[in-house]
Amino acid sequence: MLKEFQEFISKGNVMDLAVGVIIGASFGKIVESLVNDIIMPIVGAIFGGL
């Protein structure tokens, strides 16, 4: 298992993985902001602030 991990690191896939994690985190923050700032106030206004 350790040898496979070293081969994985040496192939350059670690950079792809890091970029994927960064993009995923950014997308998560964008969705969270969209829900908190746009969708939830509308839902709160419709249902009377439950």
Side-chain angles (χ1 to χ4, degrees):
M1 183 173 161
L2 183 61
K3 183 180 178 187
E4 290 176 3
F5 183 68
Q6 288 174 345
E7 289 175 6
F8 172 75
I9 289 174
S10 66
K11 287 182 183 177
N13 290 335
V14 173
M15 186 61 91
D16 295 338
L17 181 63
V19 169
V21 167
I22 291 170
I23 290 173
S26 299
F27 185 72
K29 290 292 183 182
I30 291 169
V31 170
E32 180 183 354
S33 177
L34 176 71
V35 169
N36 289 338
D37 297 336
I38 296 175
I39 295 174
M40 288 310 291
I42 295 171
V43 171
I46 292 172
F47 290 108
L50 291 177

